[in-house]
Amino acid sequence: MATRHVWRLAKRPVGDIADSDLTYVEEAIPELQDGQFLVQVGYLSLDPTNRIWMSDMEQYMPPVELGDPMRGGVVGRVLASRKPGVEAGQLMAGLGEWASHIVSTGEGMGPFPELPGISIPQAFGTFGVVGPTAYFGMKDIGQPKAGETLVVSAAAGGVGQVVGQIGKIHGCKVIGIAGGPEKCRYIVEELGFDHAIDYKSEDVGAALDRLAPEGIDINFEHVGGQIMSDVISRMKIFGRIALCGMISGYNATDAHEEPGRWTLILMRRLTIRGFILTDFAPRFPEAFQQLAQWMMEGKLKTRQDIRPGLDKAVEHVKLLYSGGNFGKLLVEVSKL
Ligand SMILES: NC(=O)c1ccc[n+]([C@@H]2O[C@H](COP(=O)([O-])OP(=O)(O)OC[C@H]3O[C@@H](n4cnc5c(N)ncnc54)[C@H](OP(=O)(O)O)[C@@H]3O)[C@@H](O)[C@H]2O)c1
């Protein structure tokens, strides 16, 4: 009997994710029914939102139920199919499970292109989640214009690295906030950001006063808390805030709301929009096309942090909340 390995949610984490919150099991792969296909997973995307899905807080899709396979983005190859239009050998990607094999009806999954000159993990790590998130957040909310000042937090991470490069493509002055000298060096020297602020060793507010005395037009927010507060208080009139993530609060045990800066938002006439990538699903082809073109023109680089071993997925996902990842975090589940 064919078997698979899968992580199932055993408990809802309290604070940081604990090893015992998920269990790693080997189980039989169910026989394929009409309309289903079997995928061997190659890469699993680990994302900060995994912690949100493990909780039962108010969120943008149903939480993972206790006992269910952990949800995650995957790319893999079809091993067998009883679904018309899906062939063995084809690459598929989308929302799947933290598993070695997935039986799917195709809901939330679609064909994934093999792009000449771009490896599968690089393509998946760029076009899967982070690139489109950066693209739509910048295009629809940030609306960058030449000469404007953009500040992005978690700047050396999956989304942040793309956001800053989109800002440079549009002629912005780009300031990235990241943890540690190596990440700060990377975003300036390798990605072409104008400045980096190491929030672990610098006073972010003082550094912004020095690097952006003119004020900030666009804040692409990933962190929340004090970093967001330091940025917001330096926004210009008619500034835009693309509220993409608030990772500093994802492991919080007290159900707190960030304090509003409503008077400042009014006086500076700021636009703030929270957004979730899935809202843009009908426009994904637009993002893929533009991001791929920038890559081929040498204007967009992305870094992946690929960790081996599905059995270590829980260890790996914790890296996101301590800054232990450097680039888009993927698990190599099998060689594709
Ligand atoms: N809205 C959407 O549809 C959407 C889609 C994808 C991602 N997101 C959000 O975008 C953000 C980045 O996601 P990503 O996938 O690109 O992850 P990532 O940036 O590759 O990894 C997370 C990074 O966040 C930083 N971080 C973690 N805890 C922090 C803290 N307490 N204070 C400051 N920085 C902290 C760390 O970088 P340092 O080493 O620099 O601290 C860490 O490497 C997250 O907030 C995520 O929830 C939103």
Side-chain angles (χ1 to χ4, degrees):
M1 186 183 18
T3 62
R4 71 170 190 162
H5 283 100
V6 57
W7 283 99
R8 289 182 177 273
L9 185 64
K11 282 190 271 156
R12 302 215 178 273
V14 178
D16 295 345
I17 298 168
D19 293 342
S20 56
D21 292 335
L22 293 108
T23 46
Y24 190 59
V25 293
E26 184 174 7
E27 59 188 32
I29 298 175
E31 201 173 309
L32 282 188
Q33 306 297 312
D34 284 344
Q36 294 182 332
F37 55 91
L38 174 67
V39 174
Q40 175 166 15
V41 175
Y43 294 89
L44 166 68
S45 173
L46 294 178
D47 298 279
T49 199
N50 293 157
R51 174 66 181 80
I52 296 173
W53 294 341
M54 289 176 196
S55 80
D56 56 6
M57 67 183 277
E58 182 185 346
Q59 52 194 280
Y60 55 92
M61 56 171 64
V64 175
E65 292 297 333
L66 292 178
D68 277 1
M70 182 59 205
R71 183 193 296 139
V74 296
V75 63
R77 213 171 274 288
V78 176
L79 288 182
S81 175
R82 289 183 62 181
K83 185 177 172 79
V86 178
E87 307 287 338
Q90 195 177 335
L91 274 187
M92 298 291 275
L95 264 189
E97 298 167 347
W98 288 21
S100 59
H101 299 76
I102 295 169
V103 172
S104 173
T105 58
E107 197 188 333
M109 292 199 104
F112 191 75
E114 301 207 40
L115 301 167
I118 305 180
S119 70
I120 293 170
Q122 189 188 12
F124 180 57
T126 304
F127 305 116
V129 176
V130 300
T133 302
Y135 173 82
F136 291 117
M138 284 294 278
K139 177 153 194 203
D140 283 37
I141 306 166
Q143 300 180 8
K145 291 166 207 66
E148 290 191 328
T149 298
L150 160 72
V151 176
V152 54
S153 48
V159 185
Q161 58 180 340
V162 182
V163 168
Q165 291 176 88
I166 294 176
K168 288 311 302 174
I169 288 167
H170 286 86
C172 294
K173 168 169 154 182
V174 177
I175 302 173
I177 303 174
E182 186 50 28
K183 290 184 178 183
C184 287
R185 189 202 62 74
Y186 168 71
I187 58 176
V188 172
E189 291 180 17
E190 293 188 40
L191 301 186
F193 290 25
D194 296 279
H195 303 286
I197 299 172
D198 178 357
Y199 75 90
K200 289 189 173 164
S201 67
E202 289 179 77
D203 177 326
V204 173
L208 287 170
D209 288 340
R210 179 168 46 82
L211 299 171
E214 71 282 8
I216 298 159
D217 298 281
I218 307 165
N219 173 32
F220 206 108
E221 185 57 46
H222 283 144
V223 170
Q226 187 58 45
I227 289 179
M228 180 178 182
S229 186
D230 287 340
V231 177
I232 288 195
S233 49
R234 289 164 178 82
M235 298 290 295
K236 280 189 195 168
I237 290 171
F238 298 123
R240 286 89 65 198
I241 300 173
L243 186 49
C244 179
M246 316 266 296
I247 194 168
S248 68
Y250 292 176
N251 289 332
T253 45
D254 55 328
H256 71 293
E257 273 300 324
E258 298 272 333
R261 302 286 296 272
W262 302 112
T263 308
L264 179 139
I265 291 163
L266 169 65
M267 298 307 165
R268 307 246 180 112
R269 286 86 96 198
L270 302 180
T271 300
I272 304 181
R273 182 172 156 199
F275 72 103
I276 296 291
L277 175 63
T278 46
D279 300 338
F280 295 90
R283 288 172 56 199
F284 282 173
E286 170 194 330
F288 298 153
Q289 202 204 351
Q290 180 62 85
L291 293 162
Q293 190 184 326
W294 283 332
M295 275 190 126
M296 284 185 297
E297 291 169 354
K299 293 178 181 162
L300 177 67
K301 288 196 245 176
T302 56
R303 175 179 177 129
Q304 282 71 46
D305 182 340
I306 303 172
R307 307 278 171 150
L310 178 66
D311 58 326
K312 306 248 177 6
V314 174
E315 204 177 291
H316 299 325
V317 78
K318 293 183 204 168
L319 298 169
L320 292 166
Y321 313 98
S322 65
N325 66 304
F326 192 169
K328 173 70 198 97
L329 186 60
L330 300 174
V331 176
E332 187 175 73
V333 179
S334 68
K335 296 261 182 221
L336 280 181

